[in-house]
Amino acid sequence: MGRKPNRVLIVTGQHFADSPRRVDLHFMTQQLLEDGDHVDYLVCRLSPLSRFITDGRYDQAASLPRNAWDVRAERLEQFIWFAPFHPVNLRNPVLNAIVAPFYCAYAAFLPKAVLDRLPGYSHILIESGPSPLLARRLHKYAPQAKLIYHAADRLETIGTHPCIARELTATMPLYDWVRIMAEAMRADFPHDAPVVYLPHGISKEPFDGATINPYPGPRQAVSVGDMKFDAEVIDCLARAYPDWTFHLFGKKALPLEVLPNIEVHGEVAFDVIVPFIKFADVGLAPYREGDGADYLSQSSLKMIQYSYCHLPILAPRFAAAGRSHVCAYDPGNTHSIVDAFSRAAAMDHLVVDSSSILTWSEVVNQLFTDEWR
């Protein structure tokens, strides 16, 4: 006899329910749907302010139904909340202090159509970003739901307004568990917080089924994603290795200089990227240094995908811990970058161990059925 289907609400300030750029939330959603569950997305961090802060999601949101539930697929619905305002980090302590009381009232503007659905959810997943400001109100209207904090990123790393971190600390007792994807993040939370380390999974089938090599020849390096993208590393490598081609995927993954051996693919569907990862010779993770960036060594989904495909990886030293196939470099040091890439290019792919990598089914089974191991 099968389990009772879950009804899950995902609260995010970063992602839409369906998007060409697929992240962990999308893969978990796909698995939940395959398991017979219902998934709703509450998309926040959108308001008239979005037009003036170069938020790329504004144009996409303008083309979709807003402030109403919208069916995106069978058992998948989305509510794009276009609020009167949303919390913006003004990068000035005085200004941030002035607007903080307004930001703390953000949840009071949640639409009735959202509040009316809350009693029906079995789980509410709140992603890092502005979403923790909504936790009290969500819990009030859905006390029966398991409340999960999905620590995709450190709040200081993504530059949220300081009031969000304070609210997350204050509401920590409301959460049934806090899901971290990097052990480095455990110390970010109180010692008695319900923290569980559960790394990303991957969709193994697309990689296993990819049979057509998109490259014309060898010496191909791939970089996927644009979070904290360090373009100087790519330019340095392209000049040092003119016989290699460097492939960049991601809306903001752009080189500083136009060079003949750099190919910019932009933001494309995940299925398009899969063979570029599988048949590459080296995987690139050119992260910029920044506060709290050390957790990227474990939480980076692309590094897990690279590892599943047995790719040697080039990454900055702060993001290289714990993986013997990651060739580390010192950011800003040209000699170190070039030397690390040389080591990655010479590495035997067969030495890369992928046996511990989870599937999304295993991740979802633990996260939404309380089966922590």
Side-chain angles (χ1 to χ4, degrees):
M1 184 175 180
R3 63 170 175 81
K4 179 182 178 181
N6 291 316
R7 190 174 184 107
V8 178
L9 175 65
I10 294 176
V11 187
T12 172
Q14 279 72 247
H15 310 292
F16 295 94
D18 45 0
S19 175
R21 181 193 177 202
R22 304 192 74 192
V23 299
D24 57 337
L25 293 182
H26 299 118
F27 295 116
M28 289 193 293
T29 296
Q30 179 180 336
Q31 187 61 52
L32 286 165
L33 296 176
E34 290 177 1
D35 291 344
D37 298 321
H38 186 109
V39 182
D40 287 342
Y41 271 63
L42 172 59
V43 181
C44 57
R45 197 170 64 87
L46 285 163
S47 75
L49 296 172
S50 305
R51 183 192 297 269
F52 306 105
I53 58 174
T54 62
D55 185 346
R57 301 178 315 136
Y58 181 83
D59 290 338
Q60 185 174 355
S63 67
L64 297 169
R66 296 184 292 179
N67 291 333
W69 287 107
D70 176 36
V71 177
R72 306 304 298 175
E74 185 179 358
R75 289 177 284 104
L76 175 64
E77 296 185 60
Q78 174 171 265
F79 193 102
I80 297 177
W81 179 29
F82 197 77
F85 66 90
H86 72 273
V88 177
N89 189 343
L90 300 178
R91 311 293 177 180
N92 179 290
V94 175
L95 294 177
N96 274 340
I98 292 172
V99 299
F102 299 97
Y103 290 172
C104 290
Y106 183 53
F109 294 89
L110 271 172
K112 184 177 184 298
V114 174
L115 299 179
D116 288 346
R117 280 204 182 188
L118 292 176
Y121 293 115
S122 59
H123 299 78
I124 298 177
L125 185 147
I126 295 178
E127 187 186 29
S128 51
S131 307
L133 290 175
L134 308 177
R136 294 179 195 265
R137 196 157 174 83
L138 294 173
H139 179 72
K140 177 182 177 180
Y141 282 82
Q144 78 296 332
K146 295 289 187 181
L147 199 62
I148 306 166
Y149 181 62
H150 182 70
D153 292 294
R154 284 177 170 147
L155 296 179
E156 64 267 26
T157 301
I158 56 177
T160 60
H161 187 280
C163 73
I164 298 174
R166 293 194 294 268
E167 182 66 3
L168 177 61
T169 300
T171 57
M172 190 53 58
L174 300 180
Y175 290 94
D176 291 278
W177 51 84
V178 175
R179 188 261 177 111
I180 59 173
M181 282 133 297
E183 281 288 0
M185 299 180 75
R186 188 179 292 274
D188 298 352
F189 300 94
H191 68 89
D192 58 347
V195 176
V196 178
Y197 169 55
L198 181 60
H200 286 307
I202 71 164
S203 297
K204 297 182 178 181
E205 294 79 7
F207 290 101
D208 294 342
T211 58
I212 299 176
N213 187 340
Y215 299 120
R219 300 187 181 89
Q220 309 289 336
V222 63
S223 174
V224 176
D226 54 19
M227 180 180 175
K228 301 183 76 67
F229 179 78
D230 190 345
E232 292 183 359
V233 172
I234 302 300
D235 288 35
C236 170
L237 293 174
R239 288 191 295 268
Y241 294 92
D243 56 336
W244 280 73
T245 303
F246 298 86
H247 299 264
L248 309 182
F249 290 90
K251 183 182 295 184
K252 295 180 288 187
L254 302 170
L256 297 176
E257 182 181 350
V258 177
L259 295 170
N261 59 334
I262 298 178
E263 292 195 13
V264 178
H265 297 266
E267 188 172 82
V268 303
F270 173 70
D271 290 344
V272 174
I273 298 175
V274 165
F276 282 91
I277 296 176
K278 180 173 182 178
F279 293 101
D281 298 293
V282 173
L284 305 176
Y287 292 114
R288 291 194 317 273
E289 284 188 289
D291 292 340
D294 58 307
Y295 70 89
L296 294 170
S297 62
Q298 284 184 314
S299 67
S300 170
L301 178 56
K302 66 185 173 191
M303 291 177 72
I304 298 174
Q305 292 169 341
Y306 295 163
S307 299
Y308 184 71
C309 294
H310 302 278
L311 299 188
I313 300 173
L314 178 89
R317 200 167 303 281
F318 65 77
R323 294 186 175 102
S324 60
H325 62 290
V326 177
C327 300
Y329 63 84
D330 299 316
N333 186 322
T334 298
H335 175 76
S336 175
I337 295 169
V338 171
D339 177 68
F341 187 82
S342 177
R343 286 183 279 118
M347 184 177 293
D348 182 358
H349 290 213
L350 296 179
V351 304
V352 181
D353 181 18
S354 63
S355 60
S356 63
I357 295 176
L358 301 175
T359 65
W360 287 115
S361 177
E362 291 169 316
V363 171
V364 163
N365 186 56
Q366 294 188 50
L367 191 58
F368 295 100
T369 61
D370 309 342
E371 295 182 8
W372 297 109
R373 290 188 293 186

